[in-house]
Amino acid sequence: MSEQKKTIDFGFSEVPLEEKVKKVKGVFDSVAGNYDIMNDVMSMGIHRLWKRKTIELSGARSGQKVLDLAGGTGDLTKAFAKRVGQSGQVVLADINESMVRVGRERLIDAGIAGNVDYTITNAEALAFPDNSFDIATIAFGLRNVTNKDKALQELYRVLKPGGQLLVLEFSKVTQPALAKLYDFYSFNILPKMGKFIADDEASYQYLAESIRMHPDQETLKQMMLDAGFDKADYLNMNEGIVALHRGWKY
């Protein structure tokens, strides 16, 4: 099969490989303005606890350099910027200019300045030298990447020896009864909420589908090891609705 004919999942649909980036960009251009309020409504605010746990387990400290990939509207960047202080640096990086713009405005309004940089970059070809960061995170972004293996390899490359990657992502629910309830919510309620709050049912239908197409916990753990990480583990939260994966570069 020629490269031009290869396809990849876009939610439950199949699209030509080269079109996924454009389609994902379209989704996040559409939702950028309402992204934060929808996160609160969709998760009933629990996403804040998931992100707080990510920050705590990162062990970030003064003077460190942090990459917040797929950093979007800046929740993790804001917390990291406070932790690393003015002697440290946080880079909010995202492929989507609309999300970075909203994130930059939010952080400036919150008084976060001086130790935060903003970059438009593709996770599969990061615009940073080898061994650049003490910590890298990607929260709710890896499932939207076309070539996840390449993105994980790139994240490994830009980490310093001794560095840590944290991947916060929706995952496979471990409790069968909850899994059924979660499916009903995802495909019957979530898209309608997207239509009511953001006037965008299709984008939230895609987001629900993309979660189901994402690798499960054990698969992603092995992908991280295959990408070069010397050690990898994960922590299930809320019965696996979300998992926090961690990888170390020695």
Side-chain angles (χ1 to χ4, degrees), residues 22-138:
K22 296 177 183 177
K23 286 185 171 291
V24 170
K25 181 179 185 300
V27 168
F28 285 92
D29 281 343
S30 178
V31 304
N34 294 290
Y35 188 76
D36 293 314
I37 189 171
M38 279 299 296
N39 275 350
D40 281 329
V41 171
M42 286 189 302
S43 72
M44 294 173 284
I46 299 174
H47 75 99
R48 298 178 185 276
L49 300 179
W50 298 331
K51 291 171 181 174
R52 186 180 303 167
K53 188 69 173 178
T54 302
I55 297 293
E56 290 173 358
L57 289 181
S58 74
R61 60 185 185 272
S62 179
Q64 288 191 315
K65 188 172 180 179
V66 179
L67 171 63
D68 183 14
L69 183 60
T73 55
D75 282 350
L76 290 178
T77 294
K78 180 179 178 181
F80 276 123
K82 292 178 179 179
R83 285 219 170 194
V84 303
Q86 289 302 311
S87 62
Q89 182 191 30
V90 184
V91 178
L92 191 163
D94 202 296
I95 196 171
N96 190 279
E97 185 176 353
S98 299
M99 295 292 283
V100 173
R101 187 182 307 115
V102 172
R104 185 172 183 274
E105 290 171 356
R106 283 189 68 218
L107 292 172
I108 290 173
D109 288 346
I112 304 295
N115 65 344
V116 177
D117 291 329
Y118 304 88
T119 301
I120 309 297
T121 190
N122 189 326
E124 298 172 30
L126 294 175
F128 310 106
D130 296 354
N131 308 318
S132 293
F133 298 96
D134 299 288
I135 297 166
T137 62
I138 178 167

